[in-house]
Amino acid sequence: MALIRLLAGLAAIALTLLLADYARATTNGIAADVADAARLVPHPLGGLATGLTTAALLLVPGYSAARRLLDGTRDRRHVLQHLADGLLAAVLAYGGSLALDLWIDGSAPFSLVSALTQPLPGDPLTHTEPVYGYLAPVLAFLIASGARERRVPRIALTLAALAGLAGGVATPTALLLGLLIGWTAAHGTRYAVGAPNPTPGPAQLLHTLRGAGLRPVAATPAGPDRYLVRQTSGRPELDVQLLDRQAVTAALVQRAWRRLRLRTAPHPRALRSLRTGLEHEALVSYAAVAAGVRTCRIAATAELGPDTALVAYERLPGRTLDELADEELTDALLADAWGQLALLQRREISHRALVPSALLVDGAGAVHLLGFADGDIAASELVLRADIAQLLTTLALRVGAERSVRAAVAVLGPDAVGAALPLLQPIALARETRHALKRAAAARRTAAVPARPDKAGARHDSTPAQRGSTPAQGDKAPGRHDQTPAPAGPVQDLLDEIRAEVLRSRPQAPVRPVKLERLRPRTLLVVVGGVAAGWLLLPQFFVSEQNPIAAVADADPFWLVLALLAAAASHVVSAMGFVGFVPERLDFRNAVLVQLAGSFVKLVSPGGVGGVALNTRFLQRAGIPTAQALSSVGVGQLLGLVLHLLQLGAFVYLTGVEPGGSELDALPTVAGGLAVAGALLAAVWAVPPARRWLAARLRPLTTEVLPRLVELLRNPGRLAIGFTGQLLVSITLITCLYCCARAVGREPAFASVGVVFLVGNAAGSAAPTPGGAGVVDGMLAKGLELVGSMEGGGALAAVALFRLLTLVLPVLPGWAAFGWLQRRGAL
């Protein structure tokens, strides 16, 4: 059925294009009638309706996903599978809409272009998009994800379509094409990945197992997609795991990204067929049995249909590692676990997931290895060493680094364990292990709270396990892995403890971590941000009526000098805003150079991150303890945010009263912004997980920043300098942007430029790209067009000149300042 609908959708798209081209009189007549009716709607009202309905439409997928995730009656894993299908369909629909737009604009006959588009209101030289692309991805997501809620999506789709017609930004044919592309992409996705299948029932499961030569009697659900099957007397029980195409597809994006990013990642199973995945798991399992490893034997594999299969294991009675008590984790058991891994290592078989649930201990105390789905035969040396690092960490989380390493060295030898040392890094470990390491680190930090003296001078230990211990007695006693010692200094990371234990047995072992990442997420973000910036900004150099390059070349020297002075002054006032929130005395010259060096650092770090790290390092080198340094920087950031919001509100108000300002109604805008912010805060606070997340993020504010601010209140003069500096930072940069606009021959209102800069700068601080590249440029250029009443070419020329003065030119002086400060020990 999905294939039939896919073909029908493709045929409908082709038929629509043919009718639009060959029945031009009819389509143009309908479009003209709709356009005449749309002119009756005031243009500002139509534009507002279009923006609001488009925003509401784009929120529909999130609403549908949240509604289904919060529904406790549904299997969460299946919901995530369906949402992954919907996301894939939305991406395909958006890509199809974009490809059709590009083809119609670039290669289609003029008759087809005129039939699908119409001039934009107020700009007869440009036309609407041939495909109203907002509808396609939303409709594709809703259909492919199997959303049952229909009323809200239908209302949103209908209102968005009507608003597009009323606003004059879409034609009826463009709306029809958008809907058809979304419908077709959804059914194409369903055909490619398989339609959602109901979980096979026990009767169908028993019938399939009988066909595979087994003698099942009854099947009992034992978890999501798992059954415990009892056979006739004398035959072992079976642990049956169901596999369906939806489960395979759900991990496609995550596994493909991990494979692209890491050298040790397994091949994405989502790219295999179900039969291929079954054959691979069976092959690795049989190879492990042949190597002498104790594991569950596969009793049968079978297909339950085109999109569902099963693998049946002979059930092993026992408990997994995470179900054992501490006293049951004997040295013999640890040695047995390492012995099983040694058998795999000799045959070059990798496991890749030696987490606690993969180690099962039977009644006799023998260890069995489970879960070879991601394993490989003829594995590379790097992957085999990663298995050793994984098991070292898994066991150390339960018994401590000393016992884990001692058992590994006794079985594998110091050379093999030492060779795994470069792989002992979080990114090489399973996700479950990384989370366990984070929980262990948090527990250690909690236990490391220093003892508090009472009024009588006695000391109260932070944990009962610390009583009677001294800092010199922080090491664990042999075999007493369940005790928490009183730390004398910084809490040591568990991975560092494992490295130290390995180096005791093999001092010559390599310590430097192996580079496992092929592609860093930051690099990918930089590339995506650069491509997006180029996609958005470069066409302006060729499409705009006024070339921005020529506008910059012909800039007015007077205003250009003023812009340069304002950009230079921003570093001085930034230093004022920095030193004003530090009670200790600092060298102001060095503080200015630190702010200048930040212009160099921001090119290799996301917006706002590099400056915070640089200021903190400068305070540390000035002799200020780390806690006080972080608090001082935090105070500056907090008050800078408050002043930023106050300035934004003031400039928004001024845009409504300043001559030459935009027609912006200040009071409703400010009130609306505050209402939206309050509603978002209330919504976050109403959800317990979100409330805990927000409380954790605000805890440093109450424990570190506010006490530092109270200390600063004792020195009002220095605090006034800090406030003045933070206030003037934005003013100087707004002045620079205003002078850049005047230099290229434009005369926007100063308040409008202030609104544009403050909004664009806030977006740049949140952007993951260095210096906010792409995000700041696009926001400023678009803002000057909308709020500053500037045309595209002039706005882009002003922004290009502004970024040249504030981002590009300071790089070389910033590099020189950075080197000078380093040579003198200030950084």
Side-chain angles (χ1 to χ4, degrees):
M1 183 60 70
L3 177 60
I4 295 175
R5 291 176 178 174
L6 170 62
L7 297 176
L10 294 175
I13 293 173
L15 182 61
T16 302
L17 294 174
L18 289 174
L19 289 177
D21 193 14
Y22 289 100
R24 290 189 296 274
T26 302
T27 55
N28 289 338
I30 295 175
D33 292 340
V34 173
D36 291 338
R39 292 190 187 96
L40 301 176
V41 180
H43 180 61
L45 181 59
L48 179 62
T50 303
L52 292 177
T53 54
T54 301
L57 179 66
L58 296 178
L59 292 175
V60 167
Y63 163 80
S64 176
R67 184 183 179 92
R68 298 171 68 183
L69 288 173
L70 295 176
D71 188 354
T73 63
R74 301 186 183 184
D75 187 346
R76 187 180 183 86
R77 193 169 68 86
H78 282 93
V79 170
L80 292 175
Q81 294 168 4
H82 297 164
L83 294 179
D85 288 349
L87 181 60
L88 177 60
V91 172
L92 293 177
Y94 182 78
S97 303
L98 184 61
L100 189 57
D101 271 338
L102 294 176
W103 174 75
I104 293 174
D105 283 335
S107 305
F110 178 76
S111 58
L112 181 60
V113 177
S114 62
L116 296 176
T117 62
Q118 65 184 14
L120 284 172
D123 190 1
L125 297 178
T126 57
H127 59 73
T128 60
E129 296 292 339
V131 180
Y132 198 54
Y134 294 110
L135 302 179
V138 175
L139 182 62
F141 176 88
L142 294 173
I143 295 176
S145 63
R148 298 180 181 178
E149 173 64 34
R150 301 293 176 86
R151 183 177 60 180
V152 173
R154 284 177 179 173
I155 293 175
L157 287 168
T158 303
L159 291 178
L162 293 177
L165 295 175
V169 297
T171 63
T173 313
L175 294 176
L176 179 60
L177 282 175
L179 294 173
L180 287 175
I181 290 175
W183 191 82
T184 305
H187 292 292
T189 302
R190 282 192 168 186
Y191 174 70
V193 303
N197 287 336
T199 303
Q204 183 181 359
L205 183 68
L206 296 177
H207 177 74
T208 303
L209 291 175
R210 293 189 186 102
L214 301 177
R215 297 293 182 268
V217 175
T220 305
D225 290 339
R226 286 189 60 214
Y227 283 90
L228 184 62
V229 177
R230 181 167 53 87
Q231 297 195 88
T232 56
S233 59
R235 291 177 176 264
E237 290 185 329
L238 301 176
D239 189 355
V240 179
Q241 180 72 45
L242 299 182
L243 304 174
D244 61 83
R245 193 178 300 275
Q246 295 291 328
V248 173
T249 306
L252 172 60
V253 176
Q254 177 185 345
R255 289 177 178 270
W257 163 244
R258 189 167 176 81
R259 179 65 181 172
L260 176 66
R261 182 185 179 191
L262 299 180
R263 296 164 57 195
T264 58
H267 293 279
R269 285 187 294 167
L271 302 180
R272 308 170 183 164
S273 65
L274 281 176
R275 178 179 292 276
T276 304
L278 285 176
E279 292 174 350
H280 176 82
E281 185 170 349
L283 177 63
V284 178
S285 180
Y286 288 139
V289 172
V293 176
R294 291 189 293 268
T295 185
C296 294
R297 295 179 179 271
I298 294 181
T301 59
E303 292 186 351
L304 293 170
D307 296 315
T308 311
L310 65 82
V311 54
Y313 294 95
E314 294 181 0
R315 183 173 180 270
L316 285 173
R319 292 173 294 165
T320 57
L321 185 68
D322 49 355
E323 296 173 339
L324 297 177
D326 288 348
E327 57 270 13
E328 296 180 276
L329 300 177
T330 63
D331 290 341
L333 187 145
L334 300 181
D336 191 23
W338 284 110
Q340 295 301 301
L341 180 60
L343 295 175
L344 291 178
Q345 297 273 313
R346 292 194 190 102
R347 295 293 183 91
E348 296 183 349
I349 303 172
S350 68
H351 189 285
R352 296 183 185 272
L354 289 170
V355 294
S357 59
L359 279 72
L360 183 138
V361 181
D362 61 19
V367 177
H368 302 253
L369 302 184
L370 311 179
F372 284 91
D374 286 331
D376 275 321
I377 58 175
S380 66
E381 182 183 356
L382 191 68
V383 176
L384 294 176
R385 287 190 287 162
D387 273 352
I388 298 177
Q390 173 66 55
L391 188 56
L392 276 172
T393 310
T394 297
L395 295 179
L397 284 166
R398 290 299 313 273
V399 303
E402 180 186 354
R403 293 184 63 198
S404 177
V405 173
R406 186 171 67 239
V409 170
V411 177
L412 302 180
D415 292 338
V417 179
L421 205 56
L423 276 297
L424 200 64
Q425 45 186 305
I427 196 172
L429 304 176
R431 174 180 294 185
E432 177 182 338
T433 306
R434 295 197 299 270
H435 291 171
L437 286 172
K438 291 180 180 179
R439 291 193 296 269
R444 290 183 173 210
R445 284 193 296 270
T446 302
V449 176
R452 302 182 304 273
D454 58 14
K455 295 181 180 179
R459 296 181 62 85
H460 297 280
D461 295 332
S462 58
T463 61
Q466 295 176 5
R467 297 187 184 109
S469 299
T470 65
Q473 297 171 337
D475 295 337
K476 298 177 181 179
R480 300 295 300 274
H481 56 274
D482 56 333
Q483 293 186 359
T484 305
V491 178
Q492 192 177 23
D493 183 78
L494 180 62
L495 296 183
D496 292 334
E497 293 183 5
I498 297 175
R499 293 188 190 96
E501 292 294 336
V502 173
L503 289 175
R504 286 193 183 98
S505 61
R506 182 66 175 172
Q508 300 84 8
V511 180
R512 186 174 182 179
V514 173
K515 184 178 180 181
L516 297 177
E517 287 184 295
R518 292 191 181 99
L519 179 67
R520 296 177 63 87
R522 185 193 307 174
T523 304
L524 182 62
L525 289 174
V526 171
V527 172
V528 171
V531 171
W535 180 272
L536 295 173
L537 299 178
L538 287 181
Q540 299 290 337
F541 290 93
F542 306 102
V543 178
S544 299
E545 296 180 6
Q546 298 187 6
N547 194 320
I549 297 178
V552 171
D554 298 334
D556 187 332
F558 173 75
W559 289 105
L560 188 59
V561 170
L562 289 182
L564 182 61
L565 292 176
S570 66
H571 300 292
V572 179
V573 297
S574 179
M576 292 173 54
F578 170 55
V579 302
F581 297 115
V582 181
E584 295 80 6
R585 186 176 182 84
L586 297 174
D587 188 328
F588 186 74
R589 180 192 60 178
N590 286 351
V592 174
L593 292 177
V594 167
Q595 307 312 307
L596 183 60
S599 302
F600 166 69
V601 174
K602 73 170 59 173
L603 288 183
V604 292
S605 63
V609 177
V612 171
L614 200 64
N615 289 336
T616 304
R617 178 62 177 170
F618 173 65
L619 294 179
Q620 290 174 327
R621 298 295 292 177
I624 299 175
T626 302
Q628 284 83 347
L630 290 172
S631 300
S632 295
V633 175
V635 169
Q637 294 288 315
L638 174 63
L639 297 181
L641 174 63
V642 173
L643 290 176
H644 188 98
L645 295 176
L646 292 176
Q647 289 178 5
L648 180 59
F651 279 118
V652 167
Y653 173 77
L654 291 176
T655 54
V657 299
E658 183 182 43
S662 61
E663 298 296 330
L664 186 64
D665 195 350
L667 185 58
T669 303
V670 174
L674 293 175
V676 170
L680 289 176
L681 183 61
V684 169
W685 198 256
V687 180
R691 183 169 63 247
R692 289 192 294 269
W693 176 87
L694 184 61
R697 295 302 182 274
L698 294 178
R699 190 172 296 115
L701 175 67
T702 58
T703 58
E704 300 174 3
V705 175
L706 292 183
R708 189 69 163 175
L709 182 58
V710 172
E711 182 180 355
L712 285 169
L713 292 176
R714 302 171 184 172
N715 193 342
R718 182 172 289 271
L719 195 61
I721 293 175
F723 270 104
T724 304
Q726 290 284 356
L727 184 66
L728 290 178
V729 169
S730 298
I731 298 298
T732 53
L733 292 175
I734 293 171
T735 303
C736 180
L737 180 57
Y738 175 78
C739 292
C740 289
R742 295 298 301 267
V744 297
R746 309 304 187 272
E747 297 184 7
F750 187 83
S752 300
V753 175
V755 173
V756 171
F757 170 79
L758 293 172
V759 173
N761 188 58
S765 299
T769 55
V775 178
V776 173
D777 310 274
M779 292 284 290
L780 293 181
K782 197 64 178 178
L784 289 177
E785 290 184 48
L786 298 177
V787 182
S789 302
M790 296 174 60
E791 79 286 352
L796 187 59
V799 172
L801 185 57
F802 172 74
R803 296 289 275 175
L804 177 68
L805 297 178
T806 58
L807 181 66
V808 179
L809 289 184
V811 171
L812 187 58
W815 171 76
F818 187 83
W820 190 87
L821 290 169
Q822 278 193 320
R823 287 192 299 271
R824 280 155 180 77
L827 283 180

mmCIF file of all heavy atoms in Angstrom, residues 217-233:
data_model
loop_
_atom_site.group_PDB
_atom_site.id
_atom_site.type_symbol
_atom_site.label_atom_id
_atom_site.label_comp_id
_atom_site.label_asym_id
_atom_site.label_seq_id
_atom_site.Cartn_x
_atom_site.Cartn_y
_atom_site.Cartn_z
ATOM 1 N N VAL A 217 6.053 -24.554 24.187
ATOM 2 C CA VAL A 217 4.760 -24.831 24.805
ATOM 3 C C VAL A 217 4.022 -23.543 25.139
ATOM 4 O O VAL A 217 2.828 -23.401 24.863
ATOM 5 C CB VAL A 217 4.949 -25.681 26.079
ATOM 6 C CG1 VAL A 217 3.608 -25.870 26.795
ATOM 7 C CG2 VAL A 217 5.574 -27.016 25.739
ATOM 8 N N ALA A 218 4.723 -22.571 25.715
ATOM 9 C CA ALA A 218 4.085 -21.317 26.124
ATOM 10 C C ALA A 218 5.114 -20.195 26.013
ATOM 11 O O ALA A 218 6.327 -20.405 26.169
ATOM 12 C CB ALA A 218 3.553 -21.413 27.556
ATOM 13 N N ALA A 219 4.611 -18.999 25.737
ATOM 14 C CA ALA A 219 5.460 -17.807 25.614
ATOM 15 C C ALA A 219 4.948 -16.748 26.586
ATOM 16 O O ALA A 219 3.760 -16.411 26.583
ATOM 17 C CB ALA A 219 5.453 -17.269 24.193
ATOM 18 N N THR A 220 5.862 -16.217 27.395
ATOM 19 C CA THR A 220 5.510 -15.204 28.391
ATOM 20 C C THR A 220 6.305 -13.932 28.112
ATOM 21 O O THR A 220 7.535 -13.994 27.966
ATOM 22 C CB THR A 220 5.840 -15.688 29.812
ATOM 23 O OG1 THR A 220 5.183 -16.940 30.028
ATOM 24 C CG2 THR A 220 5.389 -14.672 30.850
ATOM 25 N N PRO A 221 5.649 -12.749 28.005
ATOM 26 C CA PRO A 221 6.410 -11.503 27.787
ATOM 27 C C PRO A 221 7.390 -11.267 28.927
ATOM 28 O O PRO A 221 7.048 -11.415 30.107
ATOM 29 C CB PRO A 221 5.326 -10.426 27.738
ATOM 30 C CG PRO A 221 4.068 -11.165 27.367
ATOM 31 C CD PRO A 221 4.188 -12.522 27.998
ATOM 32 N N ALA A 222 8.623 -10.890 28.559
ATOM 33 C CA ALA A 222 9.675 -10.654 29.559
ATOM 34 C C ALA A 222 10.296 -9.278 29.411
ATOM 35 O O ALA A 222 11.390 -9.047 29.914
ATOM 36 C CB ALA A 222 10.756 -11.731 29.429
ATOM 37 N N GLY A 223 9.614 -8.366 28.725
ATOM 38 C CA GLY A 223 10.149 -7.037 28.512
ATOM 39 C C GLY A 223 9.809 -6.557 27.125
ATOM 40 O O GLY A 223 9.120 -7.250 26.353
ATOM 41 N N PRO A 224 10.249 -5.362 26.766
ATOM 42 C CA PRO A 224 9.983 -4.848 25.423
ATOM 43 C C PRO A 224 10.579 -5.753 24.354
ATOM 44 O O PRO A 224 11.787 -5.982 24.308
ATOM 45 C CB PRO A 224 10.656 -3.460 25.432
ATOM 46 C CG PRO A 224 10.793 -3.105 26.872
ATOM 47 C CD PRO A 224 10.990 -4.394 27.591
ATOM 48 N N ASP A 225 9.716 -6.299 23.510
ATOM 49 C CA ASP A 225 10.130 -7.156 22.388
ATOM 50 C C ASP A 225 10.907 -8.376 22.850
ATOM 51 O O ASP A 225 11.776 -8.882 22.135
ATOM 52 C CB ASP A 225 10.977 -6.354 21.387
ATOM 53 C CG ASP A 225 10.159 -5.325 20.640
ATOM 54 O OD1 ASP A 225 8.930 -5.488 20.591
ATOM 55 O OD2 ASP A 225 10.739 -4.358 20.133
ATOM 56 N N ARG A 226 10.613 -8.878 24.042
ATOM 57 C CA ARG A 226 11.275 -10.078 24.553
ATOM 58 C C ARG A 226 10.239 -11.036 25.098
ATOM 59 O O ARG A 226 9.239 -10.622 25.700
ATOM 60 C CB ARG A 226 12.283 -9.733 25.650
ATOM 61 C CG ARG A 226 13.570 -9.100 25.179
ATOM 62 C CD ARG A 226 14.575 -9.017 26.311
ATOM 63 N NE ARG A 226 14.894 -10.350 26.818
ATOM 64 C CZ ARG A 226 15.166 -10.623 28.095
ATOM 65 N NH1 ARG A 226 15.114 -9.667 29.003
ATOM 66 N NH2 ARG A 226 15.470 -11.841 28.464
ATOM 67 N N TYR A 227 10.496 -12.320 24.879
ATOM 68 C CA TYR A 227 9.621 -13.362 25.389
ATOM 69 C C TYR A 227 10.458 -14.453 26.037
ATOM 70 O O TYR A 227 11.565 -14.771 25.569
ATOM 71 C CB TYR A 227 8.790 -13.992 24.263
ATOM 72 C CG TYR A 227 7.609 -13.143 23.805
ATOM 73 C CD1 TYR A 227 7.768 -12.217 22.784
ATOM 74 C CD2 TYR A 227 6.366 -13.282 24.403
ATOM 75 C CE1 TYR A 227 6.701 -11.446 22.364
ATOM 76 C CE2 TYR A 227 5.292 -12.519 23.983
ATOM 77 C CZ TYR A 227 5.466 -11.598 22.962
ATOM 78 O OH TYR A 227 4.399 -10.836 22.557
ATOM 79 N N LEU A 228 9.929 -15.016 27.100
ATOM 80 C CA LEU A 228 10.501 -16.204 27.717
ATOM 81 C C LEU A 228 9.625 -17.380 27.301
ATOM 82 O O LEU A 228 8.432 -17.433 27.619
ATOM 83 C CB LEU A 228 10.525 -16.056 29.239
ATOM 84 C CG LEU A 228 11.177 -17.195 30.017
ATOM 85 C CD1 LEU A 228 12.645 -17.331 29.629
ATOM 86 C CD2 LEU A 228 11.042 -16.966 31.514
ATOM 87 N N VAL A 229 10.218 -18.326 26.564
ATOM 88 C CA VAL A 229 9.473 -19.426 25.966
ATOM 89 C C VAL A 229 9.841 -20.725 26.670
ATOM 90 O O VAL A 229 11.033 -21.069 26.774
ATOM 91 C CB VAL A 229 9.764 -19.531 24.455
ATOM 92 C CG1 VAL A 229 9.037 -20.731 23.858
ATOM 93 C CG2 VAL A 229 9.349 -18.256 23.742
ATOM 94 N N ARG A 230 8.814 -21.429 27.143
ATOM 95 C CA ARG A 230 9.016 -22.724 27.782
ATOM 96 C C ARG A 230 8.783 -23.821 26.746
ATOM 97 O O ARG A 230 7.820 -23.771 25.974
ATOM 98 C CB ARG A 230 8.047 -22.866 28.957
ATOM 99 C CG ARG A 230 8.182 -24.169 29.726
ATOM 100 C CD ARG A 230 7.405 -24.080 31.044
ATOM 101 N NE ARG A 230 6.030 -23.659 30.805
ATOM 102 C CZ ARG A 230 5.033 -24.512 30.515
ATOM 103 N NH1 ARG A 230 5.266 -25.815 30.402
ATOM 104 N NH2 ARG A 230 3.813 -24.042 30.333
ATOM 105 N N GLN A 231 9.696 -24.814 26.743
ATOM 106 C CA GLN A 231 9.582 -25.920 25.802
ATOM 107 C C GLN A 231 9.105 -27.182 26.530
ATOM 108 O O GLN A 231 8.902 -27.193 27.749
ATOM 109 C CB GLN A 231 10.929 -26.192 25.127
ATOM 110 C CG GLN A 231 11.441 -25.031 24.288
ATOM 111 C CD GLN A 231 12.561 -25.458 23.371
ATOM 112 O OE1 GLN A 231 12.332 -25.906 22.258
ATOM 113 N NE2 GLN A 231 13.797 -25.316 23.850
ATOM 114 N N THR A 232 8.929 -28.234 25.748
ATOM 115 C CA THR A 232 8.539 -29.514 26.339
ATOM 116 C C THR A 232 9.626 -29.993 27.290
ATOM 117 O O THR A 232 10.768 -29.559 27.231
ATOM 118 C CB THR A 232 8.318 -30.556 25.234
ATOM 119 O OG1 THR A 232 9.497 -30.646 24.436
ATOM 120 C CG2 THR A 232 7.144 -30.175 24.352
ATOM 121 N N SER A 233 9.262 -30.903 28.177
ATOM 122 C CA SER A 233 10.184 -31.352 29.217
ATOM 123 C C SER A 233 11.473 -31.888 28.603
ATOM 124 O O SER A 233 11.456 -32.589 27.590
ATOM 125 C CB SER A 233 9.510 -32.443 30.060
ATOM 126 O OG SER A 233 9.129 -33.534 29.232
#
